[in-house]
Amino acid sequence: MKRVRVIPVLGIDRGRLVKTVRFGDPRYIGDPLMAIRIFNDKEVDELLVADIRASKARREPDHVLLKRMAGECFMPIGYIGGVATADQAKRIFDLGIEKVGLCTAFLENPSIVGELAGRYGSQSVMVCIDVARSMIRGQRAVGCSGTRPSRMTPEEAARSAVEEGAGEVLLHSVDREGTFTGYDLELLRSVVRSVAVPVVPLGGAGTVDHLAAAINTGASAVAASSMFVYKRNDVRSILVNYPSKQELERLVANNPGSEVP
Amino acid sequence: MIVIVDYGLGNLASVQNMLHKVGGECIISGDPDVIAEAERLILPGVGFFATGMRNMRERGIVAALDHAVLRQRRPVLGICLGMQLMARHGQEGDALGLAWFDADVVRFDQKRMGAAKVPHMGWSVIAPRYDHPVLPMSDNEERFYFVHTYYAVCERPADVLADCDHGYTFTCVIAKDNIIGVQFHPEKSHRFGMALMQRFIDWIPA
């Protein structure tokens, strides 16, 4: 039986590994290259690297750092942050990174998704939908590191992303990010029902049980950040970690119906 | 020197990173003269079958590869699309391939697959059918990373080196003589891929 992919997300900002809570208070965690080496040793399924401020700051991706990270990374790796054009995406793919995530660029110019999917294949293009709740309008997709709400509901954004050609949807809850309180399963369930492509939740996971709950809810893979950089979810104690093989096998054992790509 | 064949598609840098890691000297080249004279070749690739063949024809790479692989009998490893191009026909864009194998590349048949989704994306265990210097039979689990929508169907069972399962059983490694092709990505498959690349660079076909 195939195991569900469990994907650590590494936040970077100006060459450093950082971790935020609800998209705020970036905290210095350590050296991104050291984290890659540890994740190599732990035989992680797949990695995502997210430049947490590139779009908001209208900054180019950090090619020097990404090249060094990709050069040491012997597992699938994706990148999110500040990619808005086909030329920018090509530079990322040329570094040895096989998946590019579009977030702000998708909200501002949805056709970029199709342009990249047509050139590199849908499997290379992930749309990242950051979701925040506003008091008045409910949950909306937001851009620019969570600072710019769009008019789209998460479901509308996901459908639009898939129509444009996205091969995967990363569903990121701003409100749960860094809180260890579990994924927003209602949101996940609703988006999974809206699209046929794999949906990968991010934001809120603190335990292997949280990962399992998302898989039971229809997630095709699960992503998390805080739980893989803090020791036992204690934010005073940094420790790059990953569930053991036994724990990961438990994810499948508890979820016989979860055979997903 | 190992030549990583550049025909404008695919993740050349990650293949090169992995070769450096296992100590293989390599260059990336799309020059037919360099390819024809290569001691050992890797044919990588991610993308559309018909585009891959068209790019190779336009750049004069097909004749150079035929010379190196069929005449000079240099060891060659095809990865993902690079493996698929070794077949005689690809359904993706309805195009003729290199035809080193009597094989056709077809799309996963969703009707036969149950809940499994296309593309096949993720880690899968493979099952070798016989002992091969690049893929020895082992009691240990051999796990590799896959991302694909199409796979090769061999006419001659002897060309199939390993099977994999995604919804149903499909061929994931093909091999004969000095040629081996893998559907998965060894360059993204941790120690499993590293060991496979190491064995490929050490391989001296009979």
Side-chain angles (χ1 to χ4, degrees):
Chain A
M1 170 159 305
K2 190 174 356 291
R3 230 182 49 212
V4 176
R5 288 172 289 146
V6 175
I7 307 171
V9 180
L10 295 177
I12 55 168
D13 184 25
R14 283 165 298 191
R16 308 183 331 158
L17 187 61
V18 293
K19 185 70 206 81
T20 52
V21 176
R22 295 192 182 93
F23 282 33
D25 304 324
R27 180 160 173 241
Y28 175 63
I29 296 289
D31 173 14
L33 291 164
M34 187 57 77
I36 295 261
R37 286 177 206 132
I38 294 170
F39 284 135
N40 273 334
D41 287 345
K42 297 192 176 297
E43 297 182 5
V44 163
D45 294 332
E46 184 173 331
L47 268 187
L48 270 177
V49 175
D51 189 320
I52 62 165
R53 265 205 292 237
S55 276
K56 193 176 171 199
R58 303 281 156 189
R59 204 165 59 197
E60 281 290 314
D62 185 345
H63 296 107
V64 175
L65 174 65
L66 291 174
K67 182 172 182 171
R68 294 178 63 198
M69 292 177 84
E72 302 233 8
C73 184
F74 301 110
M75 67 198 110
I77 178 171
Y79 171 76
I80 306 169
V83 176
T85 68
D87 286 342
Q88 286 175 320
K90 181 179 188 304
R91 284 193 70 182
I92 300 294
F93 289 128
D94 286 348
L95 297 175
I97 290 171
E98 59 269 341
K99 201 182 286 182
V100 164
L102 302 166
C103 183
T104 305
F106 157 70
L107 294 175
E108 292 178 349
N109 172 28
S111 66
I112 181 67
V113 177
E115 195 181 337
L116 295 187
R119 200 174 295 186
Y120 300 100
S122 285
Q123 83 286 342
S124 306
V125 187
M126 166 182 253
V127 165
C128 175
I129 300 175
D130 291 344
V131 178
R133 185 178 291 282
S134 91
M135 296 291 270
I136 305 156
R137 291 183 301 179
Q139 287 182 314
R140 287 289 182 274
V142 295
C144 288
S145 310
T147 58
R148 192 172 303 166
S150 75
R151 291 170 182 281
M152 281 190 282
T153 65
E155 296 81 4
E156 287 165 354
R159 275 193 293 267
S160 162
V162 173
E163 277 166 27
E164 295 290 342
E168 202 167 33
V169 170
L170 183 72
L171 185 63
H172 193 177
S173 166
V174 176
D175 304 313
R176 298 288 179 109
E177 202 250 324
T179 64
F180 306 107
T181 52
Y183 293 111
D184 183 339
L185 296 177
E186 244 177 88
L187 170 67
L188 172 64
R189 185 176 296 115
S190 167
V191 172
V192 165
R193 281 186 188 147
S194 307
V195 294
V197 304
V199 177
V200 184
L202 171 63
T207 65
V208 171
D209 287 340
H210 289 154
L211 307 181
I215 293 161
N216 273 338
T217 306
S220 293
V222 286
S225 185
S226 302
M227 79 176 268
F228 299 137
V229 297
Y230 293 126
K231 185 178 183 179
R232 286 193 287 276
N233 299 348
D234 177 354
V235 297
R236 290 163 306 184
S237 173
I238 291 165
L239 177 73
V240 175
N241 71 95
Y242 193 66
S244 68
K245 195 160 178 253
Q246 289 72 21
E247 284 178 293
L248 292 172
E249 276 164 3
R250 193 160 62 84
L251 280 180
V252 176
N254 289 343
N255 302 277
S258 68
E259 173 134 8
V260 283
Chain B
M1 183 78 86
I2 304 165
V3 175
I4 302 170
V5 180
D6 178 6
Y7 55 97
L9 287 183
N11 233 330
L12 308 170
S14 45
V15 174
Q16 190 176 34
N17 288 338
M18 182 65 104
L19 280 173
H20 284 157
K21 179 80 179 173
V22 298
E25 270 190 65
C26 61
I27 52 165
I28 293 174
S29 177
D31 181 340
D33 293 337
V34 173
I35 292 166
E37 296 305 316
E39 285 167 27
R40 200 173 286 273
L41 294 141
I42 293 186
L43 191 58
V46 177
F48 203 70
F49 188 103
T51 309
M53 283 310 296
R54 195 185 63 223
N55 286 4
M56 289 214 288
R57 284 213 178 77
E58 283 173 1
R59 296 165 196 212
I61 292 174
V62 173
L65 278 175
D66 280 345
H67 176 82
V69 173
L70 301 181
R71 188 159 312 182
Q72 301 294 113
R73 302 179 73 79
R74 300 300 188 197
V76 59
L77 169 66
I79 297 174
C80 194
L81 177 63
M83 175 277 271
Q84 296 180 356
L85 296 176
M86 295 173 170
R88 60 191 170 196
H89 180 263
Q91 200 179 20
E92 192 181 26
D94 186 19
L96 296 175
L98 294 164
W100 296 343
F101 288 89
D102 293 330
D104 297 306
V105 177
V106 301
R107 197 174 205 283
F108 270 112
D109 181 1
Q110 188 74 65
K111 290 194 289 291
R112 290 168 57 198
M113 307 182 62
K117 288 186 183 177
V118 176
H120 171 209
M121 193 192 296
W123 292 81
S124 290
V125 175
I126 69 165
R129 290 192 183 181
Y130 62 91
D131 213 39
H132 186 284
V134 181
L135 193 66
M137 296 288 262
S138 146
D139 292 336
N140 300 326
E141 189 181 85
E142 292 278 339
R143 221 155 48 85
F144 293 95
Y145 184 74
F146 288 78
V147 187
H148 64 124
T149 301
Y150 295 80
Y151 61 93
V153 178
C154 289
E155 206 170 276
R156 290 151 30 93
D159 291 343
V160 178
L161 172 51
D163 301 296
C164 183
D165 192 88
H166 182 63
Y168 54 84
T169 301
F170 70 94
T171 296
C172 69
V173 185
I174 58 177
K176 69 175 185 189
D177 308 327
N178 52 321
I179 310 172
I180 181 164
V182 300
Q183 179 59 67
F184 48 79
H185 289 275
E187 77 280 13
K188 291 286 171 182
S189 297
H190 292 303
R191 63 188 160 95
F192 309 101
M194 244 173 251
L196 185 141
M197 294 287 245
Q198 179 75 60
R199 292 189 300 258
F200 172 70
I201 64 178
D202 294 338
W203 181 33
I204 300 167

